[in-house]
Amino acid sequence: MEPRSSCIIVVHQLINKTQMSGTPRHDQEMIKKAEASLSKTTDPLERLRLQCLAKGSAGIKGLGKVFRIIDGNNTRTLDFKEFLRGLHIYSVTIDEAEAKELFQLFDKDGSGKINFDEFILTLRPPMSNARKEVVLKAFQKLDKTGDGVITVDDLRGVYSGQHHPKYLNGDWTEDQVFRAFLDNFDSPYDRDGKVTTEEFMNYYAGVSASIDTDVYFILMMKNAWNL
């Protein structure tokens, strides 16, 4: 089978899996683990991490999207009221005292503001360098233009959506097939059809949390993206 054809099939499988089962198997496993672990920890940061992971692989990235929407002036910082509002919008179960404790962990200079990029980076489940490297390779393969953002234009000409069932029956255009694929990595709060390196890494940090060994994770990534 041609490498391009193999990648096309993988794209279709990923989209179809999301449509048919709601969440992939690794998401279901991770959600169960996160929910089971929530009752066993009192650490505010770990509790927030687990609540995000209980929303699936895109859970942490989704919180980042909410923070970006709240950050209307694009300073990439949040005061406590904005931080608390973002957590509540994202349906995080947290009281004000616990949120304050979290906020103060990151407000190291006492300015009353935190950098939410640093916050999300710390919240993300840790990944080994080997895992980060293979995720970055997958991103670079998709990012045809090399501008650090995956869009429909990147996918067009690299993959074909013309074998997707919804394209074949006339429901979707090929661009809609590509957009559905990108939405797998996006937050329901802000589906902009663009996936940055950070968002891609945040998504796979969630996937990584459900996979115990580096060997299996790397094999999964290589098989999925034909690396």
Side-chain angles (χ1 to χ4, degrees), residues 139-159:
F139 182 88
Q140 289 168 341
K141 181 169 186 175
L142 286 168
D143 181 19
K144 187 175 64 173
T145 57
D147 62 355
V149 180
I150 301 170
T151 64
V152 166
D153 286 338
D154 285 305
L155 298 179
R156 192 184 295 116
V158 178
Y159 301 122

Side-chain angles (χ1 to χ4, degrees), residues 85-97:
R85 182 152 54 97
L87 295 179
H88 287 163
I89 288 171
Y90 204 53
S91 302
V92 170
T93 303
I94 190 169
D95 60 36
E96 190 167 338

Side-chain angles (χ1 to χ4, degrees), residues 10 14 26-27 30 53 56-61 124-128 131-132 134-136 138-139 142 150 181 184-185 195-211 217 220-225 227:
V10 167
L14 286 173
H26 55 66
D27 262 22
M30 181 179 57
L53 292 177
S57 297
I60 289 173
K61 187 173 67 61
R124 193 165 71 193
M127 282 197 293
S128 68
R131 295 191 189 204
K132 289 178 184 176
V134 75
V135 171
L136 189 58
F139 182 88
L142 286 168
I150 301 170
F181 171 65
N184 288 326
F185 299 91
V195 179
T196 65
T197 312
E198 175 195 358
E199 289 169 344
F200 198 76
M201 193 70 74
N202 284 342
Y203 176 85
Y204 274 110
V207 175
S208 174
S210 69
I211 297 173
F217 180 84
M220 178 204 72
M221 290 296 294
K222 287 184 173 180
N223 286 342
W225 298 112
L227 298 176

Side-chain angles (χ1 to χ4, degrees), residues 7-8 29 51 55 58 69 111 121 139 141 144 162 180 186 196 201-202 207 211:
C7 287
I8 290 167
E29 291 172 356
Q51 286 191 66
K55 295 177 183 289
I69 293 167
S111 66
L121 186 63
F139 182 88
K141 181 169 186 175
K144 187 175 64 173
Q162 295 182 9
D186 228 336
T196 65
M201 193 70 74
N202 284 342
V207 175
I211 297 173

Side-chain angles (χ1 to χ4, degrees), residues 25-140:
R25 181 176 54 83
H26 55 66
D27 262 22
Q28 293 171 350
E29 291 172 356
M30 181 179 57
I31 288 167
K32 285 179 183 177
K33 282 184 182 179
E35 289 175 343
S37 299
L38 255 174
S39 61
K40 301 174 185 175
T41 182
T42 57
D43 178 76
L45 183 63
E46 183 62 16
R47 283 186 59 79
L48 178 57
R49 178 184 290 131
L50 289 169
Q51 286 191 66
C52 288
L53 292 177
K55 295 177 183 289
S57 297
I60 289 173
K61 187 173 67 61
L63 179 59
K65 286 276 192 181
V66 170
F67 283 163
R68 283 192 190 88
I69 293 167
I70 290 173
D71 178 32
N73 54 4
N74 202 30
T75 62
R76 307 195 80 75
T77 61
L78 299 172
D79 62 26
F80 178 68
K81 285 185 179 179
E82 292 170 327
F83 176 70
L84 187 60
R85 182 152 54 97
L87 295 179
H88 287 163
I89 288 171
Y90 204 53
S91 302
V92 170
T93 303
I94 190 169
D95 60 36
E96 190 167 338
E98 192 175 18
K100 192 73 172 177
E101 183 181 349
L102 260 179
F103 188 86
Q104 289 172 343
L105 282 174
F106 289 85
D107 182 21
K108 295 182 174 66
D109 60 359
S111 66
K113 290 185 177 293
I114 63 170
N115 180 297
F116 66 71
D117 287 327
E118 290 180 11
F119 181 80
I120 293 297
L121 186 63
T122 303
L123 189 61
R124 193 165 71 193
M127 282 197 293
S128 68
N129 287 335
R131 295 191 189 204
K132 289 178 184 176
E133 185 178 330
V134 75
V135 171
L136 189 58
K137 282 181 180 177
F139 182 88
Q140 289 168 341

